[in-house]
Amino acid sequence: MDRAAAEHSKVVLDASGITFADSSLLNPLIPTHRTVDLRVAAPPRQLCRLLEITGVDALLTVRSTVEEAAACWAPDPPGRHRRILEAGRCSPSARLSAPPFRPVASGYRPVGPGRWPGCRGQPEEGGAGVGLRAIATFDVSTGGGVGHGLATWFGAALAGPLRGRLEQEQQGTAFFSASTRATERSPRQEYQPLATGWEAMREELLHEPETAHVLYMREHLGKPLVHVRSSTTRVRRPNAEAQLLFGADCGSLDDAGFCADAVEFLVAALDTVNPAFAWLGADAPASEETNLDWVLGRRVRDSVREARKLLRGYSWTTVCPEELSVRLGGPGALAATGAFHRVVPLSAGGVVLQATETVAGYTDEAVRGVFEALHPVLPPGVPQFDPAHPELRYFPADASRFGG
């Protein structure tokens, strides 16, 4: 990559040969993009998802084929040419090799003696290197509609985790990339500066766009620090998923203040919504699947469709929709289980369940307590450890047969 960037002003990375990608592939992309016009062509689905979650897709030009990636370039001036790097297929001198398949377990350590085999991985002391991610699922029963859910999610992010950053944007000390796309084929609508573009973006969110994102950086094209995004799920519209990803340096997972603020964001974002599902934790997979989707082999389309009958998953902080909260006896009964540090009823229905004061305190015992409290509304089946996702946390028992 460095050699190609040194010799050429325009570089296309043919990613079609990549079978697995993690941060070791993404790390060189942004620095290269700062020096040359870098484009990514034909990324497989797993890489596309990784680019979206990390916010890199908002910084790079991504196209479905090499031809499309190179087509919009003007003819090269004499003596300066474009370079196409084929991951996994070209000669060693020109190759950006796809990293070998290996589980991603940044910030976690293997299960040691005495731990339940399904409670896979404890957070490292202090939570160094681990990002916190909030995820919510909106469906046809979402209070106020999916558009209202999306607008409230982004608005809560700007009023909470990104509070004060808009002024920094005006001062030139913070940078935002914000856009929506009405459909997959629609042009991207940019909102810059976000300080003056937010109202227009909010109106577009109410119309349930195919995708939307707000990416905050301390420097132009720098490391993403907070990324807010939404997209339709693999289930047909209007079902949508919203996310907020805190960069690893936004706060420590053993910092009670940071963790409390993160939960407050979730409450503010969902209080008037009653989502189909939501959670907040450091063990969320980089995909639309939840922990239970992966270890129980559930398809996302079924998981989302049945979200108000069976809880999609659980983590450090879990949000049950009203339909499931009622079946569990309501906020009072859930608080009485002793499994939760904090139980917050949502005004539109549903309940926010914070297992422990900090994410770092979400131990194996806490995982079991959450499972025991929620097992009546969890999907049936015996969880099977997925070596591709060792970061997933779950209690290794069939909820339908659990007698605790």
Side-chain angles (χ1 to χ4, degrees):
M1 179 85 79
D2 292 340
R3 179 179 175 182
E7 298 177 354
H8 306 277
S9 61
K10 304 171 183 177
V11 176
V12 174
L13 170 62
D14 181 356
S16 59
I18 295 175
T19 58
F20 180 81
D22 62 9
S23 60
S24 64
L25 173 64
L26 298 185
N27 287 341
L29 294 184
I30 293 178
T32 302
H33 180 64
R34 290 172 178 161
T35 59
V36 301
D37 190 344
L38 174 65
R39 304 191 172 189
V40 179
R45 191 178 189 285
Q46 190 263 346
L47 178 55
C48 282
R49 188 65 175 167
L50 185 61
L51 293 173
E52 289 178 356
I53 290 174
T54 57
V56 175
D57 68 323
L59 305 178
L60 302 179
T61 299
V62 181
R63 294 290 185 267
S64 58
T65 67
V66 172
E67 290 73 22
E68 289 181 9
C72 49
W73 274 330
D76 293 298
R80 200 68 170 153
H81 305 285
R82 69 191 61 161
R83 178 76 170 274
I84 296 177
L85 303 181
E86 298 185 33
R89 288 209 305 268
C90 58
S91 64
S93 62
R95 178 179 300 160
L96 173 64
S97 298
F101 176 85
R102 61 182 178 85
V104 181
S106 176
Y108 290 86
R109 59 173 177 258
V111 176
R115 295 194 176 99
W116 297 298
C119 298
R120 307 302 299 194
Q122 290 277 99
E124 287 287 7
E125 307 298 337
V130 181
L132 190 62
R133 180 179 290 120
I135 298 174
T137 303
F138 303 130
D139 63 3
V140 292
S141 298
T142 295
V146 171
H148 169 68
L150 296 178
T152 303
W153 184 269
F154 279 78
L158 292 177
L162 292 171
R163 183 176 58 247
R165 305 302 185 188
L166 295 181
E167 292 182 5
Q168 294 179 4
E169 179 191 36
Q170 294 175 317
Q171 297 166 0
T173 57
F175 299 88
F176 284 90
S177 172
S179 69
T180 58
R181 180 171 285 165
T183 67
E184 289 183 350
R185 297 184 178 182
S186 301
R188 182 176 293 178
Q189 177 67 44
E190 302 283 347
Y191 304 94
Q192 293 179 335
L194 185 58
T196 57
W198 162 240
E199 287 302 322
M201 184 176 188
R202 182 180 182 279
E203 287 300 315
E204 185 61 27
L205 290 169
L206 292 172
H207 290 91
E208 303 171 10
E210 186 79 22
T211 61
H213 88 96
V214 169
L215 186 66
Y216 163 66
M217 301 158 284
R218 286 206 183 98
E219 61 181 17
H220 186 56
L221 299 181
K223 179 181 178 182
L225 296 179
V226 179
H227 187 201
V228 193
R229 66 175 300 273
S230 68
S231 65
T232 58
T233 67
R234 278 173 264 171
V235 185
R236 292 192 305 175
R237 295 175 77 175
N239 297 289
E241 178 185 82
Q243 295 189 17
L244 186 146
L245 176 63
F246 297 89
D249 55 351
C250 285
S252 174
L253 300 188
D254 62 358
D255 182 337
F258 167 69
C259 293
D261 288 345
V263 174
E264 285 303 318
F265 155 76
L266 200 64
V267 172
L270 302 177
D271 189 51
T272 63
V273 174
N274 186 29
F277 167 74
W279 74 356
L280 173 65
D283 57 333
S287 67
E288 292 178 356
E289 287 83 1
T290 67
N291 60 341
L292 296 186
D293 290 340
W294 281 113
V295 300
L296 295 178
R298 301 185 77 207
R299 297 185 302 178
V300 170
R301 66 179 64 183
D302 297 328
S303 176
V304 172
R305 187 180 299 116
E306 300 171 357
R308 296 183 186 270
K309 298 178 180 178
L310 295 170
L311 192 63
R312 294 194 63 205
Y314 55 90
S315 186
W316 169 63
T317 297
T318 307
V319 181
C320 287
E322 182 179 27
E323 295 84 347
L324 299 186
S325 174
V326 169
R327 285 173 52 192
L328 292 169
L334 285 163
T337 65
F340 304 104
H341 169 73
R342 188 180 178 203
V343 175
V344 184
L346 298 174
S347 62
V351 61
V352 177
L353 305 168
Q354 180 182 347
T356 56
E357 185 177 18
T358 66
V359 183
Y362 187 51
T363 62
D364 290 349
E365 289 288 349
V367 173
R368 175 169 184 152
V370 171
F371 173 84
E372 290 181 351
L374 299 179
H375 84 270
V377 298
L378 295 178
V382 178
Q384 300 295 320
F385 173 62
D386 186 344
H389 296 281
E391 75 278 11
L392 301 181
R393 307 292 301 286
Y394 57 92
F395 185 69
D398 185 340
S400 66
R401 298 176 179 271
F402 185 73

